[in-house]
Amino acid sequence: QAQVMESGGGSVQAGGSLTLSCIASGYIYGGCMGWFRQTPANERDEVACISTDYGTTYYYKSAEGRFTISRDSAKNTVYLQMTDLKPEDTAIYYCAKSTKYCGITYCPPPEDYAVWGLGTQVTVDS
């Protein structure tokens, strides 16, 4: 059974950068890997997703222009490079695995992701 684990969180000043990693074990091919976040107000945001087979990506508005999702298939790892971080980016960031299709215009909804990590905390100070 596939498992995923996030790393790379931390505290940064506004305007700074962080790169999160999500390493997957088990069978990961087929479907989609996504990044989500849960804010201190307990709101869950969808961030971005990437096709595990084709590398196609989709970004939600919160991530457009500042975040980049990528994958290294040889390392079974998906990355979320975050730049120009803002205090409102403060959240616990989760990666998740779905067997559903994702592509340049679409990410599966959160309920279609069956495998979730425990999250990594990102704190952006103003």
Side-chain angles (χ1 to χ4, degrees):
Q1 182 169 342
Q3 293 180 321
V4 297
M5 184 171 68
E6 308 90 343
S7 63
S11 295
V12 295
Q13 294 292 316
S17 301
L18 276 176
T19 297
L20 306 183
S21 300
C22 172
I23 188 164
S25 61
Y27 186 77
I28 66 163
Y29 298 105
C32 188
M33 294 288 291
W35 283 99
F36 300 82
R37 66 189 186 185
Q38 186 136 12
T39 67
N42 231 25
E43 295 172 349
R44 184 173 62 184
D45 289 339
E46 297 148 309
V47 178
C49 67
I50 186 166
S51 167
T52 52
D53 291 338
Y54 306 110
T56 49
T57 60
Y58 180 80
Y59 297 91
Y60 288 90
K61 198 165 266 191
S62 60
E64 271 182 337
R66 299 188 299 126
F67 295 1
T68 303
I69 189 171
S70 62
R71 82 196 195 298
D72 184 333
S73 298
K75 295 181 179 179
N76 283 358
T77 301
V78 173
Y79 303 97
L80 185 69
Q81 184 179 2
M82 306 185 292
T83 62
D84 190 24
L85 283 162
K86 305 176 189 301
E88 51 264 40
D89 295 317
T90 294
I92 301 173
Y93 284 72
Y94 298 90
C95 74
K97 172 75 173 74
S98 172
T99 58
K100 304 289 186 179
Y101 166 82
C102 66
I104 59 174
T105 61
Y106 177 76
C107 287
E111 56 267 30
D112 283 349
Y113 290 80
V115 181
W116 291 78
L118 296 179
T120 187
Q121 176 71 48
V122 171
T123 302
V124 184
D125 298 315
S126 57

